[in-house]
Amino acid sequence: MADYTDPVERTFELQRRSIEQSQEALERTLTLPARVGEAALDSLDSQESVQRDVVELQQEAIRSFLDAVEETFPGAETSTRDLRETVDDQYDTVLESHAAFFENLSSSLEEGVDAYDELSDETLVALEDLVDSLVDAQAELEDQSIEATEQVETQLEELQTQVENVQDQVRDGVDDDTAES
């Protein structure tokens, strides 16, 4: 069975690298608070969009796989229906967590940019705390995403086994009919 967690892990690793690079850029440009604030918010919006697109692409790939199973193996619709609902529910949860995570992060970042105007010396400390929180929250979201993907993978393996069993039954039925003729 394919390893569906690898793309998820790569996506989160790329995001972590992006977060770390964003932090370094923000630290270097503290003298330009207006630009830094806008760039961070723009970058965050882009990161959210790209990651959401990747998660949705993974969901669509699994849906396509289930469609292929249904088209290839008559009678698999019953087995795949429950799996499809589970997949959709799990991805909905991941996407909801993803949206809430970035909304909270965006709000926090906006507050940090506003505080910079009043307390420039404290901005760096607040930014470091924000990035630490972001990395921690991102790691938690990664764990949830990988767990959900592993559950889907397990269910796909179970479905594959069921499909193979149905194929064997169909093949045995055809062999019995041929032998009787």
Side-chain angles (χ1 to χ4, degrees):
M1 182 56 76
D3 182 9
Y4 292 104
T5 62
D6 190 48
V8 173
E9 291 168 343
R10 287 182 185 182
T11 299
F12 281 98
E13 179 59 32
L14 289 173
Q15 185 181 20
R16 271 193 294 278
R17 289 180 188 163
S18 177
I19 292 167
E20 291 166 358
Q21 291 171 353
S22 295
Q23 178 186 13
E24 293 169 5
L26 289 170
E27 289 172 355
R28 288 191 306 267
T29 59
L30 273 174
T31 57
L32 306 170
R35 287 186 189 173
V36 170
E38 291 172 16
L41 290 174
D42 289 345
S43 173
L44 186 62
D45 289 343
S46 296
Q47 289 177 18
E48 176 187 15
S49 177
V50 167
Q51 185 178 2
R52 183 183 58 247
D53 289 347
V54 168
V55 171
E56 289 171 347
L57 182 63
Q58 283 183 306
Q59 182 180 18
E60 195 56 40
I62 291 173
R63 286 177 178 164
S64 295
F65 173 78
L66 293 174
D67 290 342
V69 168
E70 289 174 357
E71 289 176 16
T72 306
F73 306 104
E77 294 86 7
T78 305
S79 299
T80 59
R81 184 180 319 119
D82 292 340
L83 181 58
R84 188 181 303 273
E85 287 177 20
T86 300
V87 166
D88 287 343
D89 288 346
Q90 289 173 346
Y91 273 98
D92 287 346
T93 300
V94 168
L95 289 169
E96 288 170 11
S97 297
H98 179 266
F101 167 73
F102 276 98
E103 179 60 36
N104 291 336
L105 180 61
S106 178
S107 297
S108 297
L109 186 56
E110 286 174 5
E111 291 172 10
V113 170
D114 292 341
Y116 182 87
D117 293 335
E118 298 174 15
L119 306 166
S120 62
D121 291 339
E122 295 178 14
T123 301
L124 182 57
V125 172
L127 179 60
E128 289 172 2
D129 290 344
L130 179 62
V131 170
D132 289 344
S133 295
L134 171 61
V135 170
D136 291 345
Q138 190 261 357
E140 184 177 318
L141 183 60
E142 178 181 16
D143 291 343
Q144 291 174 359
S145 298
I146 289 172
E147 182 179 329
T149 303
E150 288 172 343
Q151 289 174 359
V152 168
E153 184 176 10
T154 298
Q155 291 171 348
L156 286 173
E157 289 172 353
E158 291 170 0
L159 176 62
Q160 179 68 33
T161 300
Q162 291 174 359
V163 167
E164 289 171 358
N165 289 340
V166 168
Q167 282 180 320
D168 290 343
Q169 291 172 357
V170 168
R171 200 175 303 126
D172 290 345
V174 169
D175 290 343
D176 289 345
D177 290 344
T178 305
E180 290 175 8
S181 297

